[in-house]
Structures are given as C-alpha cells and as structure tokens.
Amino acid sequence: MDYKQLKELLFRHECKHPETHLTACVTFASFGPGNKKDYPWNSRTYVISSDNKAFQPGKSGYSIFGRCLDGTDPCLRMEGLMAAERGGKDGWVVEDCGIAGYLLIECSDCNISAPKLFYSYKEALECMLSRLAEVGELDAGQLKRDYAAARELFEEGCYGAGRDFAWLADPDTDWHWKIQPICIYGPMNMVFPDLDNNSCIM
C-alpha cells in the first residue's frame, strides 16, 4: 500500500467511525539523501494512528505524531520530516505502508482455536478478557474493571492477565491467550513484530 492510499483509508475511517481509531505502520526506505546508513526493519518502521489531525476532517491544525518500533522515537512529529507530506525533496521516503492488526490466539491443553483478527488493540483485549471470564465462569464486568484499574490481573494459582496475554488454570485443562500484533502490508506481505524486542504496535 502506498502512502496516498493509506491516508485516504485513515481519513475515510475517521469520517465514518470517529469513535474508534486505526493503527498503521509506515516503513521508510530512507531518511533523506544525506543519511546513507542501513537500518533494520524495526528502526525504519513507525506506528501512527488515524487519531491525528492530518487524517481527521474539520481540524484547525495539521500534524502527524508517530513512534518508532525500536523505541528510539517514542513520540515524534513526522509531517515535517516526510517527503510525502511537508518534508520536501530531502524528506524521508516511504517504502511501504500497512494497517496494524491484532491476532487473538487461544489454546488449551487439547485445543488450538482459529485466531481472531481485530483492527484495534482495544477490541482484541476486550475479547481476550471476555473469553477468560467465560471459560473461567468469572464475573466479566468485575474482571474488566479490575484490569482497567491496574492494567493486569492475578489470582494466584487460578488466572492472570497482562498487556498481551492471559491464562486460566482450569480443573480440567490450562488455557492460554495471546494478542499478537501484525503489520498487514498486503495479502502476501505480513510482518509479525518481535514482542520481546520492544516492537509493540499497540
């Protein structure tokens, strides 16, 4: 997907669904003609959201903030750096763009369910906590309130949940859930960031 297509997609989404926001990955081929260094994929890929003024109708300003997957730029204003925006001929050149998805993987000792794909981390997390409550016969409302308050859950020997995982020790079988981010550049080009290397796209 080229950058023009991505902008149109994010703008259309914000026009129709301003209550939710898409996450996108922008991978750069270069950081301007003066920068000859080779960078790995994580260091060339920035995460942006449709919750930026550049993609929202009726905003008085124009800005795009993003963060690098390798953690070096946690909050960078980007529209003035990108050749496709306002960075000019010496700006950063976009190589490819994609939409971020979140696979919810569920398994037990004897079963692996088909992964569910979500286009927002919030929806993936909501589903994971709902499944934990359903399988464990727990109060879903209270479980989600407890998680929202602490961003984690832990009941010793029974169940737990963190940013991208949950588990349940059932009397009959152990259950595990995992939220796996994925950068979807196209049907034949999907990248799974390494969560153990600070490559989170949430």
Side-chain angles (χ1 to χ4, degrees), residues 109-199:
D109 292 341
C110 57
N111 182 57
I112 299 177
S113 301
K116 298 179 177 68
L117 177 63
F118 300 90
Y119 287 99
S120 80
Y121 169 73
K122 182 179 178 181
E123 290 175 329
L125 177 64
E126 177 85 7
C127 184
M128 182 175 76
L129 295 178
S130 293
R131 287 292 295 149
L132 172 61
E134 179 183 350
V135 175
E137 298 181 350
L138 306 168
D139 183 329
Q142 187 60 52
L143 189 82
K144 292 174 183 178
R145 286 191 292 273
D146 291 345
Y147 182 88
R151 307 311 295 171
E152 64 179 1
L153 297 168
F154 182 70
E155 186 68 30
E156 187 171 1
C158 297
Y159 62 85
R163 184 182 67 179
D164 56 15
F165 71 91
W167 59 271
L168 172 73
D170 186 86
D172 298 319
T173 184
D174 288 338
W175 291 79
H176 299 274
W177 293 268
K178 178 180 176 62
I179 298 174
Q180 170 63 59
I182 175 175
C183 296
I184 306 170
Y185 289 99
M188 303 299 289
N189 184 11
M190 300 183 188
V191 178
F192 294 84
D194 178 7
L195 293 181
D196 295 329
N197 193 30
N198 297 320
S199 301

Side-chain angles (χ1 to χ4, degrees), residues 3-199:
Y3 183 68
K4 182 180 178 181
Q5 291 173 312
L6 176 65
K7 281 190 68 173
E8 291 174 353
L9 190 156
L10 297 181
F11 188 82
R12 287 200 308 270
H13 177 84
E14 288 293 322
C15 287
K16 294 180 180 179
H17 307 286
E19 70 283 357
T20 63
H21 308 295
L22 293 178
T23 302
C25 305
V26 180
T27 299
F28 294 95
S30 76
F31 294 110
N35 192 329
K36 304 298 184 183
K37 184 178 176 181
D38 290 330
Y39 294 88
W41 179 83
N42 279 12
S43 299
R44 296 186 294 113
T45 300
Y46 282 71
V47 177
I48 62 173
S49 169
S50 61
D51 189 18
N52 270 292
K53 291 181 179 180
F55 312 124
Q56 296 175 325
K59 295 292 183 178
S60 57
Y62 190 93
S63 57
I64 300 172
F65 288 89
R67 56 187 172 84
C68 188
L69 276 183
D70 69 4
T72 56
D73 290 320
C75 184
L76 179 68
R77 186 160 182 173
M78 300 176 62
E79 79 280 359
L81 301 172
M82 299 169 59
E85 285 286 347
R86 299 177 175 180
K89 60 182 179 61
D90 294 332
W92 296 5
V93 177
V94 175
E95 177 180 282
D96 205 354
C97 302
I99 294 295
Y102 304 89
L103 290 175
L104 178 59
I105 302 165
E106 175 183 286
C107 66
S108 65
D109 292 341
C110 57
N111 182 57
I112 299 177
S113 301
K116 298 179 177 68
L117 177 63
F118 300 90
Y119 287 99
S120 80
Y121 169 73
K122 182 179 178 181
E123 290 175 329
L125 177 64
E126 177 85 7
C127 184
M128 182 175 76
L129 295 178
S130 293
R131 287 292 295 149
L132 172 61
E134 179 183 350
V135 175
E137 298 181 350
L138 306 168
D139 183 329
Q142 187 60 52
L143 189 82
K144 292 174 183 178
R145 286 191 292 273
D146 291 345
Y147 182 88
R151 307 311 295 171
E152 64 179 1
L153 297 168
F154 182 70
E155 186 68 30
E156 187 171 1
C158 297
Y159 62 85
R163 184 182 67 179
D164 56 15
F165 71 91
W167 59 271
L168 172 73
D170 186 86
D172 298 319
T173 184
D174 288 338
W175 291 79
H176 299 274
W177 293 268
K178 178 180 176 62
I179 298 174
Q180 170 63 59
I182 175 175
C183 296
I184 306 170
Y185 289 99
M188 303 299 289
N189 184 11
M190 300 183 188
V191 178
F192 294 84
D194 178 7
L195 293 181
D196 295 329
N197 193 30
N198 297 320
S199 301

